[in-house]
């Protein structure tokens, strides 16, 4: 049996995990075996830049955290090497997108399970989530769809104004020609 100090450290680690997962909109559990230090360093850097906290955690600690959170879907995946990526921003697709891309290029690196807005999601849904555009892209698409009708109206009004100017210039040319013809006839 571990001594009291070690037990308190483990309880603090579990409490920290529970708090981070509760406060995060999304996260992913992965099996990281078979990656080298250079690849791991590059992955950690990319995750950190995207606002994702990534750490290797013992399965027993994650099991206690999952039980406390009611994430029973985690428990069956807690075997082998396990790391957790937790989004620290509102971007729910960042962990899934980065880890799915990494898993495609590294044979032994696999996604075990994920969570989204307080619910456990299977690896297939993590992959689906990874295929979504980023939050910024979605916002840009929505704003474009709002602006598109206004932009089309502005283009149409501009075309009408240009046509009106062309018609007006043609009318002036016709009047000038008629006036010149009248003066020549006199």
């Amino acid at each position: 049996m571990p001594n009291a100090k070690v037990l308190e450290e483990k309880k603090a680690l579990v409490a920290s995990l529970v708090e981070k997962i509760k406060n995060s909109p999304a996260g992913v559990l992965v099996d990281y075996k078979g990656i080298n230090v250079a690849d791991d360093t590059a992955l950690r850097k990319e995750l950190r830049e995207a606002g994702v906290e990534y750490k290797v955690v013992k399965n027993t600690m994650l099991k206690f955290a999952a039980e406390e959170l009611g994430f029973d879907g985690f428990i069956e995946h807690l075997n082998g090497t396990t790391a957790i990526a937790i989004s620290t921003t509102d971007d729910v697709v960042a962990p899934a997108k980065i880890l799915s891309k990494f898993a495609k290029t590294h044979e032994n690196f696999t996604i075990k399970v994920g969570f989204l807005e307080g619910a456990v999601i299977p690896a297939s849904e993590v992959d689906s989530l990874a295929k979504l555009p980023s939050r910024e892209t979605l916002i840009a698409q929505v704003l474009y769809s709002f602006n598109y009708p206004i932009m089309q109206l502005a283009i149409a009004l501009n075309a009408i104004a240009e046509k009106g100017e062309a018609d007006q210039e043609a009318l002036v040319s016709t009047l000038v020609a008629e006036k010149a013809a009248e003066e020549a006839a006199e």
Side-chain angles (χ1 to χ4, degrees), residues 122-172:
S124 60
E125 286 188 37
V126 173
D127 286 335
S128 296
L129 190 62
K131 293 174 185 168
L132 289 175
S134 69
R135 183 174 187 257
E136 291 78 20
T137 304
L138 287 173
I139 289 171
Q141 289 172 346
V142 168
L143 290 176
Y144 179 78
S145 67
F146 287 152
N147 285 334
Y148 186 75
I150 296 168
M151 185 175 65
Q152 293 296 40
L153 177 63
I155 290 170
L157 290 174
N158 188 39
I160 291 169
E162 287 176 0
K163 185 178 185 296
E165 287 176 8
D167 289 347
Q168 200 172 28
E169 287 176 10
L171 181 60
V172 169

Side-chain angles (χ1 to χ4, degrees), residues 10-22:
K10 289 181 178 183
K11 284 182 180 178
L13 174 64
V14 170
S16 172
L17 274 171
V18 168
E19 196 61 32
K20 287 177 182 179
I21 292 170
K22 271 185 189 175

Side-chain angles (χ1 to χ4, degrees), residues 17-18 20-21 24 26-33 43 47 52-67 69 71-87 92 94-100 102-103 108-116 119-127 129:
L17 274 171
V18 168
K20 287 177 182 179
I21 292 170
S24 175
V28 178
L29 291 182
V30 296
D31 184 344
Y32 64 89
K33 76 174 172 242
L43 174 63
L47 288 165
V52 178
E53 183 179 334
Y54 178 81
K55 66 187 333 181
V56 173
V57 182
K58 290 188 175 194
N59 289 324
T60 53
M61 299 298 112
L62 269 173
K63 180 179 180 272
F64 290 131
E67 287 172 347
L69 290 163
F71 282 9
D72 296 333
F74 269 18
I75 296 170
E76 67 188 78
H77 299 284
L78 297 177
N79 49 44
T81 56
T82 305
I84 187 167
I86 302 170
S87 181
V92 297
K97 191 175 285 288
I98 294 168
L99 293 171
S100 289
F102 191 82
N108 293 328
F109 188 92
T110 57
I111 293 175
K112 293 182 174 187
V113 69
F115 67 92
L116 178 65
V120 177
I121 59 173
S124 60
E125 286 188 37
V126 173
D127 286 335
L129 190 62

